[in-house]
Each structure stands twice: as C-alpha cells, then as structure tokens.
Amino acid sequence: MKIWHQSLTSIEDIPEYRDAVIQHILKIAHPDVDVVLHGMTNDTYPENYPGHYITYNYLQSLHKEQFIRNALIAEKAGYDAVFIGTIPDVGLIEARALVDIPVIGYGQASMHMASMLGSKIGIVNFLAPLADQLRLNAQQYGLAQKLGPIVQADIGFYDIMEGYKNPQPIIDKFIAAAEIAIAQGADVIIPGEGPMNIFLATHHIHHVGNVPIIDSFGTGIKMCESLVDLQKISGMTVTRVGYYNEKPPTEIVEKLRDYYNLKQAAADMDFGLSVRATASV
C-alpha cells in the first residue's frame, strides 16, 4: 500500500519536524505501507513554516490548489490513498470529489476519532485565527455540537522545533492550555497542528490526567489504511451523490484546469521522501 502524505509546510526544509514525522510513521504504519512525504513546492512561503500565511481565507484558498493537484498526481502515479496532513483539511472536499482513491483529512479524521473517545472535543493549537475555520469544518462534518473549547497554547512553531532539544517547557505549556480546555468541559483533546501532534507523540504525551490526547497524524494514516482495505475487500467508496461529492467529467476538469493555467496531473511529477518500516529511510 502506498500513501501520499501532503503537508502544508515545506517539510523537507524542516529537519526536526521531518525526522520526527519519519520516526512516528515507522512506529504506526503497517510494515507493508509506504508513506511518501510531500511538502509545498519551493518558494510557496517566504519562510519554512507557513504560520500566518495560512490564517487568511484567501491565501489558504490559493494554497488549496497544490493539494488538489497533488491528489490528481497521486492517483495517476498509482498511490492507494492521500493523507492531507494539516488540521484545516485544505482541499479535502475538492480532492475527494476528483479522485477515486481515499482522501483523508487530519482534521476530519481526528474529530471523528475524538467523538468516539469522548463527549466534548477540545482543541489546543497555536494559530488562533484558524478557530473560525475549524468550527466551520466541524459543522460540515456533523460534529458542531461535539466541538467545545478551542484554546491557544502560549507557544509557536519554532518554539516546538527548539523543544526537541529541551521538551519540558513545551510540554508544560501544552498541558496548561489543555487544562483550560478541560476546565471548560473538554474530555478529549486534539492537538491543533501537525507539528504539535508529532511533538507530543514523540514525547509520549497521550493523556492530561484522564483526558486522552488524539494522535491525529496516526489516526489519519490508520484511516487511510482502513479505507484502502475496505475499498478492496468490500467495495466501499465515497458517495458520488450531491454537489460536494459528485465527480465531474474528466475531460471538463482537464479543459478548465488548462484554461485557468493550472498544471495537469502527471505521474512523472511525483516526488517525495518514502518512509517504510521494512526499508531504510
């Protein structure tokens, strides 16, 4: 099985994050699963981490094209599934409507997993403006009533990267924010961004008291594995009914993408860092 992982970061240029993601994949993915890491194209951002460049609706709508394009590339290149590894689930609905392989979003997968493990979902993140988008997504996923407090931790992306050298201050700040969410009624916590999730998983932070912390990245990979298996064994696929789900004619998609000067998907555009438990990385 081969999974295309798509980050909203330039992951190949952030060695601390990249290496932590690799080690996490080696722990969670089945041995026969090849997870191939992909970041945003060079020069998408003026810095390695997008930060506030993804906290505006219009800017994120521009970045969405890379996720949609890469889902098309992944299917043509023979991938079995796509994992959108960022909590806003950038391009998830559009990509899912265009390809027949499973497309899983970090945010949707973690929210549904959290809804099975608790009654009120809390999110602890460090990009405050995303709260509006996360609540809108939860409504679209049918989980608006289960999503409770969204609390911003007093840390940022580069703090987390430095935290790999000295983890306890970051852990303490996350726990402090999680305790605020718990005091406001949350009984299960989602780490709001991929870098925070991977950092917590690396340092074995799975609970705050009796409240579980969702491994959103692990959940997304496992959901990819499950849906690929179910599609092969039971024929389960995404619905093709309705405005958001019906697949448009391929020739129309290709014609309009060409009209808007969007690159066509081609298997030879595949790139990325392959991670597999039975092979060297």
Side-chain angles (χ1 to χ4, degrees), residues 210-223:
N210 290 324
V211 173
I213 308 300
I214 298 297
D215 177 3
S216 302
F217 194 99
T219 298
I221 295 297
K222 290 300 182 185
M223 193 71 73

Side-chain angles (χ1 to χ4, degrees), residues 8-10 40-41 43-50 53-54 63:
L8 193 53
T9 68
S10 300
M40 302 292 275
T41 56
D43 302 324
T44 299
Y45 311 115
E47 303 173 23
N48 290 341
Y49 183 68
Y53 300 104
I54 64 170
H63 299 321

